[in-house]
Amino acid sequence: MSFVVRGAADVLGGVESWRMWWMLAKNDVIRRYRRSRIGQLWLTLSMAAMIFGMGAVYASLFGTSMSAYLPHLGTGLVLWGLISSTIIESCLSFIENDSIIRQVALPRFTYLLRTIARNLFVFAHNLIILPVVYLVFGSPINWCILLFIPGLLLVLANLAWVGYLLAILSARFRDIPQIVASIVQVAFFVSPVVFKPSQLRIDHPVLVLNPFASMLDVMREPLLGNLPSATSYLILLGLLIVGWLLSLAFAGKYSHRVVYWL
């Protein structure tokens, strides 16, 4: 229990240092596109090109119309970008900030929040595409869209404990980032990003045992005007409780050693 308390103190300290990680995350995005003529707009344009390019190909392969398929694909790709990049980049949260960690005594969770905030900035740029897709292809918008914010917060809370755990492990074992990147790449093809969940039976293992499917469900369905599955909420809530207890205990025991591993 003492390890959990120590880990929770680090998390709370990181949240309280919000000015630091918010400024660093914003600077990361600005610096990435410095001297570019259109700056961060490249984020939006590259995602739009992927959506419309893949939409044309897969709509033909699945034998469906663009109007029925593109809103699903576009929403899935934007949301998957947030999930996958947050997990992959979380592995490097401590490694990339090694010079700061060695010199400044900040809560370790601060560096993970920098990673999450940076990916939220990118996500916000990509999110601009979706209203255009919905208007062009006539996707219905109703009160269900209000459930998107709770779904997003639930997903971010789960990504936070996963990222915290991976960041500590990656500082100790440098092969972890490559392993995680490979797993996420495989997860893309077995998660309902390109294909629709309705193409599988409701109790299919891809939908029930795959947490990425639940993450996509609680965020994508409200944007498409549908109610998410109650099962998805239960799965994510269960993972949230168990995952944070595990992550806090692990962080409480090992996070102070990170500086020696860098």
Side-chain angles (χ1 to χ4, degrees):
M1 184 59 70
S2 61
F3 291 137
V4 173
V5 173
R6 190 184 303 170
D10 185 76
V11 170
L12 291 175
V15 173
E16 290 173 356
S17 304
W18 66 270
R19 291 180 180 86
M20 174 69 72
W21 52 261
W22 186 262
M23 177 195 67
L24 290 172
K26 185 168 63 174
N27 186 63
D28 286 341
V29 178
I30 294 173
R31 187 176 55 186
R32 185 182 301 178
Y33 294 95
R34 184 173 292 163
R35 297 184 180 276
S36 171
R37 290 186 179 274
I38 58 176
Q40 292 95 320
L41 189 59
W42 276 117
L43 296 169
T44 307
L45 292 177
S46 60
M47 178 59 72
M50 180 183 297
I51 290 172
F52 285 98
M54 290 183 64
V57 173
Y58 281 96
S60 176
L61 289 176
F62 291 146
T64 184
S65 64
M66 288 280 284
S67 59
Y69 180 67
L70 206 63
H72 167 85
L73 176 67
T75 308
L77 287 175
V78 170
L79 298 176
W80 181 258
L82 172 66
I83 295 170
S84 61
S85 60
T86 300
I87 292 175
I88 293 172
E89 293 180 19
S90 290
C91 295
L92 304 175
S93 292
F94 296 153
I95 297 172
E96 290 180 342
N97 292 283
D98 60 339
S99 58
I100 303 177
I101 293 174
R102 290 195 185 103
Q103 299 178 48
V104 184
L106 286 174
R108 301 287 184 259
F109 198 66
T110 303
Y111 307 105
L112 178 67
L113 289 174
R114 174 186 184 177
T115 301
I116 295 175
R118 180 173 66 233
N119 282 284
L120 278 175
F121 280 127
V122 175
F123 174 66
H125 283 86
N126 292 334
L127 203 62
I128 300 172
I129 305 168
L130 298 184
V132 177
V133 172
Y134 298 156
L135 287 173
V136 171
F137 295 98
S139 181
I141 302 295
N142 53 38
W143 66 269
C144 290
I145 198 172
L146 298 176
L147 295 174
F148 169 71
I149 299 299
L152 175 63
L153 293 176
L154 183 58
V155 170
L156 289 176
N158 273 288
L159 292 177
W161 74 258
V162 172
Y164 200 18
L165 203 60
L166 290 175
I168 297 172
L169 288 171
S170 298
R172 179 63 181 86
F173 305 102
R174 297 305 173 93
D175 292 323
I176 295 291
Q178 287 73 31
I179 294 172
V180 170
S182 298
I183 292 174
V184 170
Q185 187 175 20
V186 173
F188 172 81
F189 294 102
V190 297
S191 300
V193 180
V194 175
F195 61 89
K196 293 185 177 183
S198 58
Q199 293 176 275
L200 304 174
R201 67 178 190 272
I202 194 171
D203 60 343
H204 196 284
V206 166
L207 301 179
V208 178
L209 302 180
N210 182 358
F212 295 116
S214 299
M215 292 182 181
L216 290 169
D217 185 58
V218 299
M219 293 191 293
R220 178 168 54 195
E221 293 307 312
L223 292 175
L224 296 178
N226 304 316
L227 283 172
S229 167
T231 304
S232 297
Y233 284 114
L234 291 175
I235 290 172
L236 293 181
L237 286 172
L239 289 173
L240 184 70
I241 296 170
V242 176
W244 267 111
L245 288 174
L246 173 64
S247 184
L248 290 176
F250 190 80
K253 186 173 183 178
Y254 294 108
S255 65
H256 67 283
R257 302 185 189 180
V258 166
V259 67
Y260 304 108
W261 296 337
L262 296 175

